[in-house]
Amino acid sequence: MNTRKFIVFLFLFVVHFLLLIKLNFFAKYVSGNEEFLDFDSYYKLSSDIRIGKNPYRVDYMKTLGPPLVFVYYLPFSFLNLNTARVLNSWINISPGYILCYFLAGAFNKKYKNEVFLFLGTLLFSSFPTRLSLGLGQPILLITLLIGAALTERNKSRSGIFLSVASSIKTFLIFSYLSLLTKRKRILYVTLFCTLFLILLSFLFVKPEYYLFYLKEEFLKLLTNGVIGLDYYNQSFKSTFHRLFLENIYQIVYYPVLFITSIYIVLSASLEFGIIVSLLLSPISWQHYYVILFPVYVLYFKNIIKSGKVPLFILFILSILLWWIEFPFLHKAEVSILNGLLASHYFFAGFLLTLIIFIIRRYNHKGGIFEGRN
């Protein structure tokens, strides 16, 4: 390692170490003594499911996902709460570093360690990541699985990664559309694994709860109103409501859903499908946006190679909107300006889809999923 490279490495290491101290990282996330709002609720819910309670009729939380999402949390209910918290934290944090190391090697092998530290700092300092860790949500695990699905050359493994990610956050099932034309083998593996996980859930979750969810809960996601700025929800629906466009939401949503679905099928772009599934989901919490991270990193090379300065500016703007948070918006009044600011994660995702579309349109590498059949 030459002197300049060592200085850069040392600087990035110190910056990352200071970040961990600033976040009180290990005491807060790994001690098991801190409360994780979402994880603790799912832990209690999993215990209730095991004794036969309807997960959609408990008074301490509102479950928005289908019974499939309980598969991840159910094993933790066999442990005491503190042990379960620690294990979940490591299962979540470790994939974050594994993902950064993996992406660093794909991005630049010569400066792999330096890129790893930079990506680690960028990822763990972003608000969506910090929020997901604070809630105890396994978003970093999902993000690693998505990164692996996007880059894995083995079709079977790629399908397994995507299906496991989709079982934890089921809005990702929409991205399966990208596999219909050119990725059929991956589609078959993905569907088989998804079906297997559903059957596995029957060990603890009564099959009738799936029907109950479809009849009683699913349609509510499409029709429930939006209160205030709804800053935590970065969906297409909430964005329209924040901008006082709720009267045309229903008129616009379904044509957009149809057009993007057709494009996803024809383009066979898994990355595009993943982003659109996030944006068009009725519920798209801020911490879900962590899953955009591997797409940002994998597309950055394409942006540099394109030589397009406007494209580079769009990329920087998108990742800045993805990284930042505006705390004052949680209690801010509803206004056009606040509505625009409160939709910054949605706009980050929208700009990223625009970047992907432009790159594919002008054939600058064609996309990170290109060439795989």
Side-chain angles (χ1 to χ4, degrees), residues 3 23 40 57 67 83 92 163 182 192 199-200 220 369:
T3 304
L23 297 178
D40 288 8
R57 286 293 180 263
T83 303
N92 200 18
S163 64
K182 301 178 182 179
F192 174 81
L199 294 175
L200 183 65
K220 292 180 183 178
F369 216 60

Side-chain angles (χ1 to χ4, degrees), residues 211-336:
L211 295 176
F212 184 91
Y213 173 78
L214 292 174
K215 290 180 180 179
E216 303 292 334
E217 303 296 327
F218 180 69
L219 290 179
K220 292 180 183 178
L221 294 178
L222 302 177
T223 57
N224 282 347
V226 176
I227 301 174
L229 279 178
D230 199 21
Y231 184 32
Y232 277 123
N233 190 357
Q234 292 289 313
S235 66
F236 186 91
K237 177 181 179 179
S238 286
T239 298
F240 265 61
H241 281 258
R242 279 191 287 268
L243 300 178
F244 301 96
L245 298 172
E246 62 270 18
N247 291 331
I248 66 169
Y249 162 72
Q250 295 285 356
I251 300 172
V252 174
Y253 179 77
Y254 292 104
V256 169
L257 180 65
F258 176 76
I259 293 169
T260 52
S261 297
I262 295 299
Y263 180 79
I264 291 168
V265 172
L266 296 178
S267 67
S269 172
L270 178 59
E271 60 269 26
F272 194 90
I274 287 170
I275 300 170
V276 171
S277 68
L278 175 66
L279 298 180
L280 297 187
S281 172
I283 300 294
S284 187
W285 303 126
Q286 291 173 343
H287 55 278
Y288 289 5
Y289 278 74
V290 178
I291 69 173
L292 300 184
F293 184 72
V295 183
Y296 276 121
V297 177
L298 293 167
Y299 261 90
F300 185 67
K301 262 190 175 182
N302 293 344
I303 293 168
I304 297 299
K305 288 180 180 178
S306 74
K308 304 288 185 181
V309 175
L311 205 58
F312 180 77
I313 294 173
L314 281 179
F315 177 85
I316 295 300
L317 178 60
S318 176
I319 203 166
L320 178 62
L321 292 173
W322 168 85
W323 181 84
I324 204 169
E325 182 216 11
F326 299 111
F328 71 91
L329 288 173
H330 294 293
K331 296 182 180 180
E333 296 182 358
V334 179
S335 68
I336 288 291

Side-chain angles (χ1 to χ4, degrees), residues 89-135:
S89 291
W90 280 114
I91 288 175
N92 200 18
I93 293 168
S94 300
Y97 283 105
I98 293 170
L99 174 67
C100 290
Y101 192 75
F102 163 73
L103 291 175
F107 184 79
N108 190 313
K109 287 183 170 59
K110 183 178 179 181
Y111 295 96
K112 184 175 182 177
N113 292 332
E114 291 77 13
V115 175
F116 163 68
L117 287 171
F118 175 80
L119 293 179
T121 303
L122 179 64
L123 176 62
F124 283 97
S125 65
S126 69
F127 180 74
T129 300
R130 290 185 283 119
L131 178 61
S132 72
L133 290 173
L135 293 173

